[in-house]
Amino acid sequence: MKKTICYAFVQSLPILCGYLFLGMAFGLLLQKAGYNFIWAFFISLTVYAGSGQFLLISFLSGSVSWFNMAFMTFMLNSRHIFYGLSFIERFQAMGKAYPYMIFSLTDETYSVLCSLKVPDGIDEKKASFFIALFDHCYWILGGILGTIAGELIPFDTTGVDFAMTALFVVIFIEQWLESKNHIPVWIGGISSVGCLCIFGADNFILPSLIVTVSLLLMVKKQMIETGGEQLEC
Amino acid sequence: MNVDTNTVIGIIALCAVVTFGTRVLPFLCFGGKRKVPEAVTYLGKVLPPAIIITLIVYCIRTVDFTVAPRGIPEFVAIGIVAVLHVWKRNNLLSIGVGTACYMILVQAIF
């Protein structure tokens, strides 16, 4: 058991750095929005989604409708639907930990579990569970540290909210470099800028994503014929 | 605070439930070994980049190009993040340096 926990900890180390940093950025933003570490703890414990929690902070201004909040959160996190597809059988075999494994399947945990190759003498199911649990703890800790740092260090945080934009730009670059076919980016980019011009800053997300999904489904045949790409993992 | 405590709890609960919903959906739909439809697999491949570019637009949606500084800090900082990331491929470095540059731009220069 101890060996398995040690193994899981070592596997989760890359996520430790990432989650502490990103969690702290979230905490700083949350603190700037007027919420202390108790809020950070509960949000990171229950929502547990990196970019989703940044989006949540933008909802706290009160200018987004309930429907749009649910819709945007769903669309942003819709990639999780496709992560789960790779783990259906593996998670079903995990007994009591099954619901927690589903709950804690973030981008980072997904990437670690995807590439996990356990050596002899290590229980793969237990190792997977502890990796997921450690990642969750790092994320919560990062958020708490961020809010506390924001309170203790009274520096001018104007512009710290750019961390959210930077995060999306980083994800964007990663996707761009990994994929040869950039048509989805053009479709998403043109429809969002177009809808922003037509519907304005408060109302463009829903029409934009509807247009995007429709266009993507319309070019499905051509995309599959030219790309022939498969889902990884 | 712009909204009251109950609303905040409601927003958190909504985000938590919807987020968990996206994670549990494939297990509910395809847990019984039903075959995954081709359209779902296809959207799983092409939707994420389209959504991320939409969210970048969402992040800069309130930038006004008709008045100073005309979005210059946003575009300079996004450029820095992009170039740095293509060069080093280090998430923390790109986000950290990019955010720091943006903070300097909006606080000290524009």
Side-chain angles (χ1 to χ4, degrees), chain A residues 14 25 30 45-46 105 107 109 111 120 149 161 167 186 226 232:
Chain A
L30 190 71
L45 180 75
T46 58
L105 192 60
D107 306 64
T109 303
S111 66
D120 290 338
D161 48 339
L167 169 69
W186 290 109
T226 52
E232 286 105 37

Side-chain angles (χ1 to χ4, degrees), chain A residues 15-25 137-139 141-143 145-146:
Chain A
I15 312 301
L16 173 65
C17 310
Y19 269 10
L20 277 185
F21 180 86
L22 209 59
M24 280 184 74
C137 292
Y138 305 152
W139 179 246
L141 187 64
L145 288 176

Side-chain angles (χ1 to χ4, degrees), chain A residues 17-74:
Chain A
C17 310
Y19 269 10
L20 277 185
F21 180 86
L22 209 59
M24 280 184 74
F26 164 75
L28 274 173
L29 278 182
L30 190 71
Q31 197 271 332
K32 195 191 158 208
Y35 301 88
N36 65 13
F37 68 95
I38 299 166
W39 289 104
F41 171 78
F42 278 108
I43 295 172
S44 296
L45 180 75
T46 58
V47 182
Y48 189 28
S51 41
Q53 288 181 206
F54 281 84
L55 202 58
L56 189 156
I57 298 176
S58 78
F59 296 157
L60 294 175
S61 65
S63 63
V64 186
S65 74
W66 290 99
F67 177 79
N68 269 339
M69 282 193 266
F71 183 74
M72 288 179 73
T73 306
F74 181 82

Side-chain angles (χ1 to χ4, degrees), chain A residues 2-211:
Chain A
K2 202 179 155 198
K3 213 172 135 196
T4 305
I5 293 174
C6 282
Y7 172 79
F9 177 67
V10 172
Q11 295 300 310
S12 73
L13 277 178
I15 312 301
L16 173 65
C17 310
Y19 269 10
L20 277 185
F21 180 86
L22 209 59
M24 280 184 74
F26 164 75
L28 274 173
L29 278 182
L30 190 71
Q31 197 271 332
K32 195 191 158 208
Y35 301 88
N36 65 13
F37 68 95
I38 299 166
W39 289 104
F41 171 78
F42 278 108
I43 295 172
S44 296
L45 180 75
T46 58
V47 182
Y48 189 28
S51 41
Q53 288 181 206
F54 281 84
L55 202 58
L56 189 156
I57 298 176
S58 78
F59 296 157
L60 294 175
S61 65
S63 63
V64 186
S65 74
W66 290 99
F67 177 79
N68 269 339
M69 282 193 266
F71 183 74
M72 288 179 73
T73 306
F74 181 82
M75 290 308 279
L76 173 62
N77 289 321
S78 61
R79 62 188 189 283
H80 292 131
I81 297 171
F82 309 102
Y83 294 168
L85 292 176
S86 326
F87 286 103
I88 290 173
E89 285 170 37
R90 211 166 126 188
F91 284 0
Q92 277 176 339
M94 289 192 55
K96 277 183 201 157
Y98 180 44
Y100 181 74
M101 294 310 290
I102 296 174
F103 165 78
S104 62
L105 192 60
T106 59
D107 306 64
E108 285 75 8
T109 303
Y110 168 81
S111 66
V112 174
L113 293 184
C114 254
S115 54
L116 192 67
K117 286 183 184 67
V118 292
D120 290 338
I122 305 279
D123 183 337
E124 191 196 298
K125 287 171 192 155
K126 287 202 176 77
S128 302
F129 170 74
F130 280 110
I131 290 169
L133 184 67
F134 287 149
D135 288 355
H136 196 179
C137 292
Y138 305 152
W139 179 246
I140 294 170
L141 187 64
I144 292 173
L145 288 176
T147 45
I148 293 173
E151 276 164 33
L152 293 183
I153 314 162
F155 59 94
D156 185 354
T157 51
T158 308
V160 77
D161 48 339
F162 185 78
M164 171 166 151
T165 314
L167 169 69
F168 291 141
V169 172
V170 163
I171 299 171
F172 174 78
I173 301 281
E174 285 293 329
Q175 288 174 343
W176 180 278
L177 294 174
E178 273 170 26
S179 126
K180 289 187 197 81
N181 188 338
H182 300 311
I183 291 168
V185 173
W186 290 109
I187 289 178
I190 291 167
S191 63
S192 56
V193 173
C195 289
L196 177 62
C197 295
I198 299 167
F199 298 100
D202 293 332
N203 298 309
F204 82 101
I205 286 281
L206 179 63
S208 169
L209 288 173
I210 290 171
V211 170

Side-chain angles (χ1 to χ4, degrees), chain B:
Chain B
M1 277 197 217
N2 299 308
V3 286
D4 65 71
T5 307
N6 284 340
T7 312
V8 176
I9 293 170
I11 292 172
I12 296 169
L14 178 83
C15 290
V17 168
V18 173
T19 303
F20 182 67
T22 60
R23 289 180 182 149
V24 81
L25 202 60
F27 294 89
L28 293 179
C29 291
F30 307 110
K33 297 213 168 64
R34 203 186 328 159
K35 203 180 172 301
V36 182
E38 193 195 29
V40 174
T41 319
Y42 166 73
L43 282 179
K45 186 77 193 170
V46 295
L47 206 48
I51 290 173
I52 289 298
I53 188 77
T54 306
L55 286 170
I56 295 174
V57 175
Y58 173 78
C59 286
I60 56 169
R61 72 193 181 286
T62 52
V63 173
D64 192 337
F65 295 100
T66 58
V67 292
R70 296 177 187 275
I72 294 168
E74 283 77 14
F75 282 99
V76 169
I78 287 174
I80 291 169
V81 175
V83 169
L84 202 56
H85 198 70
V86 172
W87 181 31
K88 293 283 185 188
R89 295 294 284 274
N90 181 324
N91 295 7
L92 305 186
L93 187 76
S94 310
I95 296 169
V97 172
T99 306
C101 288
Y102 181 77
M103 290 172 75
I104 293 166
L105 284 171
V106 290
Q107 288 179 20
I109 299 173
F110 288 99

